[in-house]
Each structure stands twice: as C-alpha cells, then as structure tokens.
Amino acid sequence: MTQQRHPVPPPADGPSRPAGWSEEFLRHRDGQGCPMCDNDFAADDIGWGILLHQGEVANAYLWRSGQVRGYCVLIHRGAPHVAEPTDLSDAHAAAYWADTLTLGKALTTFYQPVKMNYSTLGNVVPHLHTHIVPRYADHADPAPGGPLPWTALDTNRPDEVQLQADAAALRALLEQA
C-alpha cells in the first residue's frame, strides 16, 4: 500500500501546528497513538460496535450509539495507518470502496431504507473510516429529508437485544455476499 502524506499547511498557530488543529490530532493523523489503530480487529465486539464482517481491507461494525437503527461504521484495518482515502494505492482504494458497498447493500436489503448516507470524515479521529447510515421514511428517522445532525449518531444507545438480533441477521447476509 502506498501512503502519500499530504503536506501540512503553513503553521498558523505556532511553529508546528496549523490553527485550530490540536497536536494530538496531528499525531493521530500521522499514525502516532491513533485510537482506531489500537482496535482488536479480530474481536467480535470492540465495545463501540459489534463486528459484522471482515472485508478485504476494512471491518464493518454495527455501532452501539445513536438514534438510527442500523448505524454502522466501516474501519480500515490498514497497516500502516491511513487517514485519507487518497493515501491508499488504487487497489486498496478499490477494495475499501468494495467493502463499503458490500456493507451498504446488506443494510439496504435488511432495513429497506429510503436512502443510505455514507460519510467519510475523520475530523475527530483521523483514521480512515466511513459512517454508513440508513435513512427512513417515518418517525424512525430523526431528520427525514434533511441532513442528519451529528447528535443523532452520537447520543442514545439502541436496545442491546435488538442490536444483537440485527447483528446476527446482517452477518448472515454478509456471509452470502
């Protein structure tokens, strides 16, 4: 895998840090102490989420936070650490996108959403990961027809029994993929 680091913008908040970005963020972006790199990618449960599928280059997790049933996070397993999809070789980028689509198709089949949202951000944890969120037509969606507020993914916890049942059903779908 070829890693292409993007140059850091000229310092604006001291000699080593661009304005607004913490030293910790910049260290994590460069793979030093990245909290996602510390995940046990072989574990069935990482606390935040339940492992659904190990794709070619990324793991799919049914997330334990949020107000939207079926909220998942796909986390790149890379070694070395990768912060941006543009840091991937063409082959690994294609594999990451294929892993993303595999999860999205399983979520679409199981939950039958009106729309799927895919967000690859990394502004808080600069490790390549994508939030994949089914959007619903009824009261189950906190912002039908509009942008999803971050609090909808960050507050509340789904029922654990329902979460485990959904995880089992999604694993079965993903095994067939």
Side-chain angles (χ1 to χ4, degrees):
M1 173 174 8
T2 303
Q3 249 182 310
Q4 304 166 348
R5 291 279 179 228
H6 302 285
V8 174
D13 191 21
S16 63
R17 179 166 55 97
W21 299 97
S22 71
E23 288 291 339
E24 179 181 70
F25 175 88
L26 296 173
R27 279 193 309 275
H28 290 172
R29 183 199 62 189
D30 291 336
Q32 300 167 23
C34 171
M36 279 198 187
C37 286
D38 289 341
N39 281 326
D40 178 357
F41 289 113
D44 288 335
D45 192 322
I46 60 169
W48 286 102
I50 301 167
L51 179 65
L52 299 176
H53 180 70
Q54 290 185 320
E56 187 175 340
V57 297
N59 282 8
Y61 297 94
L62 185 58
W63 223 236
R64 277 205 170 87
S65 67
Q67 303 166 27
V68 181
R69 186 174 173 204
Y71 168 37
C72 289
V73 176
L74 185 81
I75 303 175
H76 187 269
R77 287 191 310 269
H81 167 86
V82 173
E84 302 291 342
T86 53
D87 292 340
L88 298 171
S89 68
D90 289 348
H92 278 94
Y96 186 81
W97 187 240
D99 289 346
T100 303
L101 294 178
T102 297
L103 178 56
K105 288 175 185 176
L107 294 172
T108 298
T109 298
F110 185 67
Y111 293 109
Q112 299 291 304
V114 171
K115 172 79 175 86
M116 292 293 298
N117 286 177
Y118 300 84
S119 298
T120 303
L121 303 170
N123 297 312
V124 175
V125 180
H127 180 106
L128 180 57
H129 65 287
T130 302
H131 301 264
I132 304 172
V133 187
R135 301 297 303 275
Y136 300 102
D138 58 17
H139 66 281
D141 195 295
L148 197 59
W150 191 252
T151 55
L153 301 177
D154 205 31
T155 57
N156 293 350
R157 285 178 67 98
D159 176 75
E160 187 67 23
V161 172
Q162 182 69 67
L163 194 73
Q164 292 292 340
D166 286 3
L170 288 165
R171 279 188 192 121
L173 281 172
L174 287 159
E175 286 174 10
Q176 298 169 8

